Amino acid sequence: MPTVDEYAERRKTVAAGLAERKLEALFISWSANLRYLSGFTGSNGSLLITPGQTILFTDPRYDVQAREEVSCPVKIAKGPLVFDIAAAIARLKLRRIGYEPVRMTCDLLEALGSRLPARSSMEPVAGWIEELRMIKTEVELDRIRRSVETNSRAFEQAVKHVRPGMREQDLAAELEYRMRRLGAEKPSFETIVAAGTRGALPHAQPTSAALASGNLVVVDMGATQHGYCSDMTRMLFLGSPGAKVKRTYRAVLEAQLAAIDAVRAGVSTAHVDRQARKVLQGYGLDRAFVHSTGHGLGLEIHEPPRIGKRDKGRLSAGMAVTIEPGVYLEGFGGIRIEDTVVVMPSGCEVLTPTSKELRLI
Ligand code: ZN
Ligand code: ZN
């Protein structure tokens, strides 16, 4: 468990950064940022951070839970939260209040804005909390590690049941059942099981199609445990693969290893992406690699930084990111290999323990 102080420390960092942004408060309603700054896991809540104090607003369903999870004052609203939030803003005489435009509905902004005193205004703030969230604490890394372990164990348990005739959705259900039995709260995203030519869709949803002999199968899965995500892609083959599958698999594996090799604090994300692309280019497959090499993960499955060819960021120690090059060929299928890694000062730690061999069934 992170100590209550960890959340208080984060709020202190935010409170200390308000003045330089010419703000008197920051309003947070997005669940992941809310959890990051307060520990609150309920589905309805908002946080108002000021230099003097932070208040969590929620409804009576979360009365007991909020008091257990949160170390700052909690206001239980009797009606819609906006009435109490606006009242607190008026009482505290707050003028410029930051909000997260990417993370808030127009409806909530309008409801809140229309109830504010004339001297108060809502000011957009982009990416501030996401930037803080990029660098994980040891406690967060431990949670990601546990999530990765659960995910990999669920994969091993479920793969034992794979037979020709099993439907994509049966395997997805088996994977998700196993991860829950092993301690996950839920999958981090909709589990992908895509067999044969459907594997050429990078984000295919499992269907009732049966796995058949000669199928290449993409399995992309993640577990959320104690709020933190994991993300892994592995490939199965039913039968014995031919030359094209073997060659394409080797290309993707080499690309993935080259990108992992490039991960260390200080390098640009574009450099890491380029290493994967260069290998695939050598195989004439770079144009079949249609997405970026990776993404950050933590409380959410997709967080900054992005590791793509047009991204401008640099990696820092303590970031948790995926490395997942893939090749998608219409009429053939897709091959992707994905690990979760942690950026270190002079390299990275690959958290995913699962073998990267093509799994033959
Ligand atoms: Zn994935
Ligand atoms: Zn991913």
Side-chain angles (χ1 to χ4, degrees):
M1 288 288 288
T3 58
V4 158
D5 285 338
E6 184 161 7
Y7 301 116
E9 284 303 315
R10 292 171 188 162
R11 292 196 293 269
K12 226 187 271 176
T13 304
V14 172
L18 289 169
E20 69 189 73
R21 290 172 173 80
K22 298 190 170 53
L23 298 173
E24 293 182 355
L26 182 66
F27 175 73
I28 301 281
S29 59
W30 176 246
S31 57
N33 289 350
L34 189 63
R35 183 168 183 161
Y36 181 74
L37 294 167
S38 72
F40 183 62
T41 62
S43 66
N44 183 30
S46 292
L47 208 59
L48 187 66
I49 303 179
T50 76
Q53 64 172 320
T54 294
I55 309 168
L56 175 86
F57 300 86
T58 184
D59 68 63
R61 293 173 300 165
Y62 294 114
D63 192 350
V64 175
Q65 184 182 324
R67 279 171 225 287
E68 278 173 10
E69 291 178 338
V70 174
S71 64
C72 66
V74 175
K75 172 75 184 156
I76 304 296
K78 299 225 163 47
L81 305 190
V82 281
F83 293 117
D84 293 71
I85 298 162
I89 289 171
R91 182 169 47 80
L92 296 169
K93 299 188 168 54
L94 299 170
R95 278 167 305 186
R96 293 170 59 84
I97 302 122
Y99 74 98
E100 303 180 290
V102 195
R103 305 300 205 165
M104 196 164 150
T105 63
C106 301
D107 193 50
L108 178 54
L109 179 63
E110 207 177 281
L112 188 53
S114 67
R115 286 174 175 81
L116 293 185
R119 64 175 179 277
S120 303
S121 63
M122 299 298 287
E123 305 293 333
V125 175
W128 181 10
I129 307 306
E130 284 74 8
E131 198 183 311
L132 298 176
R133 280 171 48 196
M134 281 202 289
I135 313 291
K136 271 67 184 178
T137 61
E138 277 308 317
V139 175
E140 291 184 289
L141 291 177
D142 278 347
R143 290 182 162 197
I144 293 170
R145 236 176 233 119
R146 287 183 61 181
S147 161
V148 166
E149 277 163 23
T150 295
N151 197 43
S152 285
R153 286 176 64 199
F155 174 80
E156 292 301 342
Q157 290 184 2
V159 157
K160 290 196 184 107
H161 299 276
V162 176
R163 300 276 179 279
M166 187 182 206
R167 297 176 306 172
E168 290 176 345
Q169 63 201 37
D170 296 332
L171 177 52
E174 187 69 32
L175 291 162
E176 293 180 6
Y177 168 71
R178 295 287 165 185
M179 63 174 83
R180 279 183 191 265
R181 288 294 303 260
L182 289 164
E185 290 114 47
K186 58 180 182 183
S188 300
F189 53 91
E190 279 188 61
T191 303
I192 295 171
V193 176
T197 52
R198 295 195 70 259
L201 311 168
H203 268 191
Q205 283 176 336
T207 66
S208 58
L211 309 185
S213 186
N215 272 174
L216 192 54
V217 185
V218 182
V219 176
D220 189 352
M221 61 189 290
T224 298
Q225 192 161 350
H226 298 302
Y228 283 80
C229 300
S230 50
D231 198 356
M232 170 176 88
T233 308
R234 288 295 184 266
M235 300 296 310
L236 316 177
F237 193 90
L238 280 71
S240 49
K244 184 170 180 183
V245 170
K246 282 186 183 162
R247 180 180 184 272
T248 314
Y249 194 84
R250 192 165 59 235
V252 175
L253 181 56
E254 281 176 22
Q256 206 245 3
L257 294 174
I260 286 178
D261 222 39
V263 172
R264 72 179 64 84
V267 302
S268 70
T269 50
H271 172 78
V272 174
D273 181 85
R274 201 152 51 234
Q275 304 319 302
R277 258 168 241 286
K278 262 195 333 215
V279 172
L280 292 174
Q281 199 172 20
Y283 283 87
L285 288 168
D286 50 314
R287 291 175 67 179
F289 177 23
V290 294
H291 52 75
S292 52
T293 292
H295 54 88
L297 81 178
L299 285 168
E300 291 176 276
I301 186 62
H302 292 121
E303 301 184 356
R306 250 174 60 109
I307 302 176
K309 57 180 162 192
R310 274 181 284 278
D311 291 298
K312 300 270 181 278
R314 283 186 184 277
L315 295 177
S316 300
M319 286 178 173
V321 298
T322 68
I323 297 294
E324 51 175 308
V327 157
Y328 309 89
L329 301 166
E330 210 180 330
F332 168 77
I335 295 179
R336 177 165 71 251
I337 303 171
E338 174 180 27
D339 288 329
T340 299
V341 313
V342 176
V343 182
M344 313 282 277
S346 56
C348 72
E349 181 189 349
V350 178
L351 300 186
T352 313
T354 308
S355 159
K356 280 189 264 214
E357 292 298 303
L358 177 59
R359 208 58 77 97
L360 303 183
I361 307 287

